Amino acid sequence: MVDNNGTQKIVGLAPNREHSFYGRDVVSVNQFSRDDLSYIFKVADEMRALVRRVGATDLLKGHILGNLFYEPSTRTSSSFIAAMERLGGSVIPIHGVQYSSVSKGESLPDTIRTLECYADVIVLRHPEVGASAMAARYASKPVISAGDGTGEHPTQGLLDLYTIYSELGTIDGLHVAMVGDLKYGRTVHSLARLLKLYDTELSFVAPEILRLPQGIRGEMDEAGRPVHETDKLEEVISDADVVYVTRVQKERFADLTEYEQVKDYYVVTPQVMAQAKERMALMHPLPRVGEIHYDVDSDPRAAYFRQMENGMYIRMALLAAVLGKV
Ligand code: NCD
């Protein structure tokens, strides 16, 4: 695995320096190979078993995570906190940046350089594309992106892929349909980039104004993935092994009348699920704002709550790996 600036940062005591994750930033899923992913999934399986058996461990005792969020978050921030604490480490949470020196006009590089005086690893969510890569260049400690604007959300991509694998036992050979806001949805960008490493068929289902960005579409073509684009969910619902539904990202629209036109474009109801395969996974990064009806929640194919739980195991695996403990 190569990070964005090619250097391995030195962190922690008695680390496992041999492993390619040690001391690395995580800013885009394009940095991972299939071997890296198998390794992280294997560690995530162990973390799941550990949490279920004993709840916590002291693997990261004495280590501190700086959790810096410039955008709202429920799942990502709390699962990083839970992951660090279940590994015996502790957390400096900076969520309402209005209460930090950011509100005094401090730049991102200075805030990062401050936090890394106290923390061993930094998790950053920021509204600007490329902010995590920029932070990683300034930081001498590993930076893990928790989403940069409409760019990527690499740890969500990892937990989504891990969920597909956990639910269906394979990734190769699957038909994955991504539905909704493919333009602004950063989780879609990361997951699509990860799926191009596997022998998958991809369907991108979106209204015209929310289609997958050309650049990412081009990456799929270069990787030789068969890609189908449509605005009709009914064209793919009965053939897909995974249906990955997303929220229309209201906060990214310059013109809210455009948002109003597309916000209720897709709604998955029990009637829609009746057309889906018997063995498939219905996923959503959450939060949902109407795209999946509550009556679908009890369907065994509804994987979104398991997906959310998997986020903690994946983040435990990543934290342990970049700090050289696995
Ligand atoms: C996603 C995000 O922040 O991009 N949420 C998450 O981290 N699970 C998806 C979204 O906000 O729609």
Side-chain angles (χ1 to χ4, degrees):
M1 181 172 67
V2 265
D3 74 358
N4 59 319
N5 56 10
T7 53
Q8 191 179 49
K9 295 166 175 180
I10 308 300
V11 276
L13 298 167
N16 172 4
R17 289 163 194 264
E18 299 309 308
H19 202 275
S20 62
F21 279 88
Y22 168 66
R24 299 290 184 190
D25 304 306
V26 176
V27 295
S28 165
V29 294
N30 278 342
Q31 71 194 76
F32 299 122
S33 67
R34 277 183 69 140
D35 280 351
D36 291 329
L37 298 168
S38 307
Y39 180 74
I40 281 297
F41 293 173
K42 188 175 78 63
V43 179
D45 282 344
E46 287 166 12
M47 295 300 181
R48 186 207 310 259
L50 181 140
V51 169
R52 294 201 173 154
R53 209 172 51 247
V54 291
T57 166
D58 61 1
L59 194 67
L60 293 186
K61 187 166 187 282
H63 289 77
I64 296 179
L65 160 68
N67 214 30
L68 180 58
F69 280 70
Y70 288 76
E71 275 190 344
S73 172
T74 304
R75 273 151 291 270
T76 308
S77 66
S78 52
S79 65
F80 265 114
I81 294 172
M84 194 65 185
E85 295 193 349
R86 283 186 188 274
L87 289 170
S90 43
V91 183
I92 303 171
I94 304 184
H95 289 158
V97 285
Q98 69 270 31
Y99 302 117
S100 74
S101 286
V102 171
S103 67
K104 301 180 189 166
E106 186 167 66
S107 68
L108 179 62
D110 278 2
T111 304
I112 292 289
R113 281 186 287 224
T114 305
L115 206 49
E116 72 171 0
C117 294
Y118 315 126
D120 305 292
V121 53
I122 293 170
V123 167
L124 173 69
R125 170 169 287 185
H126 197 279
E128 278 162 41
V129 177
S132 327
M134 193 257 257
R137 281 195 296 278
Y138 283 95
S140 61
K141 306 280 176 66
V143 171
I144 302 177
S145 169
D148 60 329
T150 58
E152 273 215 43
H153 191 344
T155 65
Q156 179 76 38
L158 292 177
L159 79 89
D160 290 341
L161 193 71
Y162 178 62
T163 300
I164 294 174
Y165 180 69
S166 309
E167 293 288 311
L168 300 171
T170 181
I171 300 168
D172 286 316
L174 298 181
H175 174 196
V176 180
M178 298 195 213
V179 183
D181 189 345
L182 312 186
K183 179 180 181 187
Y184 298 121
R186 55 194 173 195
T187 73
V188 168
H189 304 164
S190 289
L191 182 58
R193 286 184 166 131
L194 284 169
L195 287 169
K196 75 182 187 202
L197 296 175
Y198 296 81
D199 179 19
T200 48
E201 181 190 338
L202 302 172
S203 290
F204 295 109
V205 185
E208 185 60 31
I209 61 166
L210 296 179
R211 283 173 65 175
L212 193 72
Q214 274 309 311
I216 302 179
R217 171 66 217 252
E219 287 180 41
M220 302 300 124
D221 293 339
E222 264 169 47
R225 288 286 137 256
V227 168
H228 173 59
E229 283 190 271
T230 176
D231 68 345
K232 295 186 182 57
L233 180 56
E234 56 274 23
E235 273 180 24
V236 303
I237 186 77
S238 59
D239 187 64
D241 301 294
V242 175
V243 174
Y244 185 93
V245 182
T246 59
R247 165 180 79 90
V248 178
Q249 309 274 302
K250 182 178 183 184
E251 68 276 27
R252 312 286 182 206
F253 281 74
D255 176 0
L256 278 182
T257 56
E258 275 199 351
Y259 167 75
E260 293 295 329
Q261 283 160 24
V262 289
K263 72 178 189 340
D264 297 321
Y265 214 87
Y266 305 105
V267 180
V268 177
T269 58
Q271 291 69 38
V272 173
M273 288 304 284
Q275 299 161 49
K277 282 183 170 178
E278 216 170 288
R279 181 168 152 75
M280 57 81 74
L282 177 67
M283 295 173 56
H284 193 304
L286 301 172
R288 62 176 153 180
V289 286
E291 312 78 46
I292 300 181
H293 198 279
Y294 291 106
D295 288 348
V296 176
D297 295 357
S298 55
D299 187 313
R301 297 167 294 179
Y304 30 94
F305 298 120
R306 295 187 289 277
Q307 180 182 354
M308 181 158 69
E309 180 181 333
N310 288 339
M312 183 174 76
Y313 307 131
I314 282 288
R315 289 172 176 132
M316 288 174 79
L318 271 181
L319 288 169
V322 300
L323 291 171
K325 296 297 181 187
V326 291

